[in-house]
Amino acid sequence: MKITKDYPGLKDIGWAYEFSGNLISDAEIEIDVGDKWLRVTGSLSAQTFIEAGSGIEAGEGIKAGSGIEAGWGIEAGEG
């Protein structure tokens, strides 16, 4: 699954694109929304891999089967 700024359901909120709900894939998720972040109000889950150029924010969690790749880093609150 590839998420671009034209992906159905994305809303431009200025500093990011927002998707209300969950983004779940049986394969990998590739995120390419330019220089903005992707904000998901629910959870972001892929069976294999999640790759993003800028940043990802998820309300309920981010899960990937074999890995998560981030350009600038990964920050976690309590885990």
Side-chain angles (χ1 to χ4, degrees):
M1 170 188 293
K2 184 170 184 174
I3 310 295
T4 65
K5 58 186 174 185
D6 299 322
Y7 190 81
L10 285 189
K11 179 181 173 185
D12 188 343
I13 59 171
W15 61 275
Y17 287 95
E18 182 176 76
F19 185 84
S20 294
N22 300 323
L23 281 175
I24 300 170
S25 174
D26 290 336
E28 70 178 36
I29 297 176
E30 180 184 348
I31 301 165
D32 183 6
V33 291
D35 61 350
K36 294 186 178 188
W37 282 50
L38 174 63
R39 182 174 190 269
V40 179
T41 61
S43 61
L44 179 63
S45 178
Q47 285 295 90
T48 56
F49 199 80
I50 298 172
E51 181 176 355
S54 293
I56 306 168
E57 178 181 318
E60 296 178 16
I62 300 171
K63 178 181 179 183
S66 64
I68 298 173
E69 182 177 312
W72 286 90
I74 296 173
E75 182 177 324
E78 294 184 22

